[in-house]
Amino acid sequence: MKKTILTALAVSVGMATANAQPKLTATNIDEIIKAMTLEEKAKLLVGGANNFFGDQAVVGGEADLVAGAAGTSPAIPRLGIPATVLTDGPAGVRIDPTRKGTTQTYYATGFPIGTCLASTWNTELVGKVGEAIGNETKEYRCDVILGPGMNLHRNPLCGRNFEYYSEDPLLTGKIGAAYINGVQSQGAGVSAKHFAVNSQETNRTGVDEQVSQRALRELYLRGFEIAVRESQPWTIMSSYNQVNGEYSMGNRDLLTSVLRDDWGFKGIVMTDWIGIRKGLETIAEVQAGNDLMEPGQPAQVKEIVEGVKSGKLDIQDVDRNVRRMLEYIVKTPSFHQYPASNQPDLNVHAAITRQTACEGIVLLKNAQFTMHNAQLAAPCLPWKDGKVKTVALFGENSYNFLSGGTGSGCVHTPYVVDMVEGLKNAGISTSKTLTDIYRKYIEYARVKFQAERHPANWFQQEMFGQQKYPEAAFTPIAIGKEVSEADAAIVTIGRQAGEGADRDIATEFNLIDIERQLIADVCKAFHAAQKPVVVIINSGSVIETASWRDLPDAIICAWQPGEEGGNSMADILTGKVNPSGHLTMTWPMAATDHPSTVGYADPVAVAHNEDIYVGYRYFDSFGKEVAYPFGYGLSYTTFDYSKPAVKVKGGVATVTVTVKNTGAVAGKEVAQVYVTAPRATLRSPLRS
Ligand code: BGC
């Protein structure tokens, strides 16, 4: 009897201990850290989402939390620590649009790509996009969107420029901060990426970016700094590449001294998606201040545990990172058990993407033109009041309009409005036979050219974004037949690019022969009948324009403007919206004009010989001719600027200028202020 009582006592004592296990709250992080075993601490620092590398997932089942999401931070249910879900980014929530066992769909809004967002120069509008993306992140049961992309456009050939904002760090920082504040206002987080100097894709996991401290501070880090100071991102993603001989992921100077000590960053740093790296220990990443290893491999947990046991890794470093992880987790929708609806309001968000794209589209040329049915010359655009009723639409991307780029930056959108639909919605039809032929060609190409364009690049598959198909050639005779069918012609020149590869000059930066011929032949035939030709550039990045820009009457850079692309373009063409987008990077005469093009995508080491002379800082300072300068963009109206007044107070200069619309239609203008360093002892750019 006595023995039974004792046993019962022992059992109840054991239960009491078990019941006393703390559960994570916003205020008991110290207690939780004390209660964690070494294994649990190590586990929390290693992503637990998937089978990326054929490993066993660290925590079973988390991979299925949200199908198609990029990764998770692991759960520790014993202590009430939920898994959190990380999804790409940045142009919208990238999750699988369909799931096994249900007919429900999970399409997400495809917003304009980074360059298009930045070209609005409108932080308020970008903030609205951020809010909508934050809302979709949360409603689709995710916690963090893996964006914004904040690397600089060091060179126009970078395959991921479409995800990034600009060659200018101030613009990058301001647009990035607006996006981040928008997302985070919804109670979801961001991961500003890729920290730092991930300005090329060629051998991005190995290349060493050799860059001076000055260029780092003034250019490559500056955008991140502004974003940290003005928006405190929940997370930052360290880049794959090396900076001055050290992988960013293990770079204590970058991840701790600069990011946290200098700028006051309070969030977590997660790695980019590489798992165990050759030549870099997970231990070194922990020490450097990389809090979360993505996508996570069990061997990394083991390495951390053994590191602590052997004395190679200080438990204080582990605890510091664990604390930051917990501080992040208590902010997340998962922690708050947010009841995700899986039904964000896609219609409301479609309206936001349409408006934003309109403000990011840049009018590059709008020459005077005398139409066959008019007496006087007038600017070619807008096509108002039934001036153009039918358009002959050339170029495969008129029909396969690219809403965004490829790779992790693509979004599975519910639809993409192409140019035929966009024009139709605006009351303009397209010539029938030509439309039919192209539509059939796109169907054919979809089947025939699958995975053929970049066989070496696994990102070039439909699941990683819309593909660009080879351009179809038309004889001058066939083009001539279209002239009587239409009042005007459009030629869309499309470019696709994305993660894992940079662009080449001959076929991706420059126009290929078929495209040149198409523009030349269409212009010749339509001009002979006094009918105008507009070229639309549907690309995430800069292309060569100098050799052909004299031919068409108008040129519009549509970028990759999101799922409502055709509607946004029609709004601009018809003057429903007056263009106000301005370039956020220089359009050079030739790709080789950028000093960084020499040795640009070296797979081993890239010496930044141009130093601080990136983008317009170079072209201006060295008086080099460009096709379209940084900040350029036309409008359907004209503006007058008053003489600027400058007030300096407490080291802050305020510039005031009155901008007056002197034209006949309403419009928006981007007032830009540049400064020149006075009496500089250091060599400085002519203006910045
Ligand atoms: C990309 C990141 C992305 C991650 C997760 C990486 O390969 O570089 O930008 O967020 O994959 O998909």
Side-chain angles (χ1 to χ4, degrees), residues 70 88 146 160 193-194 204 237 240 272-273 408 499:
D88 280 305
L146 302 174
R160 290 186 91 170
K193 66 191 187 185
H194 309 87
R204 61 184 172 155
M237 189 187 293
Y240 288 135
D272 203 343
W273 262 237
S408 62
E499 182 170 5

Side-chain angles (χ1 to χ4, degrees), residues 111-112 117 124-134 179 183 352 356:
F111 291 91
L117 287 187
E124 204 179 306
L125 195 56
V126 173
K128 282 207 184 108
V129 171
E131 283 169 22
I133 291 178
Y179 176 105
V183 172
I352 295 175
T356 312

Side-chain angles (χ1 to χ4, degrees), residues 348-426:
V348 167
H349 296 172
I352 295 175
T353 184
R354 179 171 177 168
Q355 187 201 349
T356 312
C358 282
E359 287 206 20
I361 289 168
V362 183
L363 180 63
L364 295 175
K365 175 177 180 181
N366 193 18
Q368 297 283 322
F369 191 83
T370 314
M371 293 270 288
H372 64 104
N373 52 2
Q375 298 297 318
L376 296 174
C380 169
L381 293 171
W383 290 339
K384 267 195 163 133
D385 308 323
K387 191 165 154 187
V388 167
K389 293 194 180 64
T390 307
V391 168
L393 205 48
F394 293 91
E396 73 103 356
N397 291 112
S398 294
Y399 303 83
N400 171 32
F401 206 66
L402 301 171
S403 65
T406 59
S408 62
C410 84
V411 182
H412 302 299
T413 62
Y415 58 83
V416 178
V417 178
D418 66 15
M419 284 308 301
V420 182
E421 283 174 77
L423 288 170
K424 193 166 148 208
N425 294 340

Side-chain angles (χ1 to χ4, degrees), residues 81-199:
I81 302 174
T84 67
V85 182
L86 319 167
T87 182
D88 280 305
V93 175
R94 183 175 184 277
I95 55 175
D96 290 349
T98 54
R99 291 180 191 170
K100 279 191 199 126
T102 173
T103 52
Q104 196 185 332
T105 55
Y106 302 80
Y107 289 102
T109 307
F111 291 91
I113 55 156
T115 37
C116 184
L117 287 187
S119 301
T120 67
W121 298 57
N122 184 341
T123 48
E124 204 179 306
L125 195 56
V126 173
K128 282 207 184 108
V129 171
E131 283 169 22
I133 291 178
N135 171 272
E136 289 194 23
T137 304
K138 219 165 74 168
E139 293 306 335
Y140 277 134
R141 209 241 162 278
C142 299
D143 296 281
V144 166
I145 184 109
L146 302 174
M150 296 189 59
N151 294 106
L152 280 200
H153 290 203
R154 172 176 178 245
N155 188 282
L157 302 178
C158 174
R160 290 186 91 170
N161 274 355
F162 77 95
E163 293 183 68
Y164 306 146
Y165 294 136
S166 173
E167 66 192 18
D168 181 78
L170 178 66
L171 197 59
T172 297
K174 292 286 179 188
I175 297 288
Y179 176 105
I180 295 167
N181 281 326
V183 172
Q184 295 191 169
S185 72
Q186 303 301 298
V190 301
S191 195
K193 66 191 187 185
H194 309 87
F195 191 63
V197 208
N198 189 177
S199 292

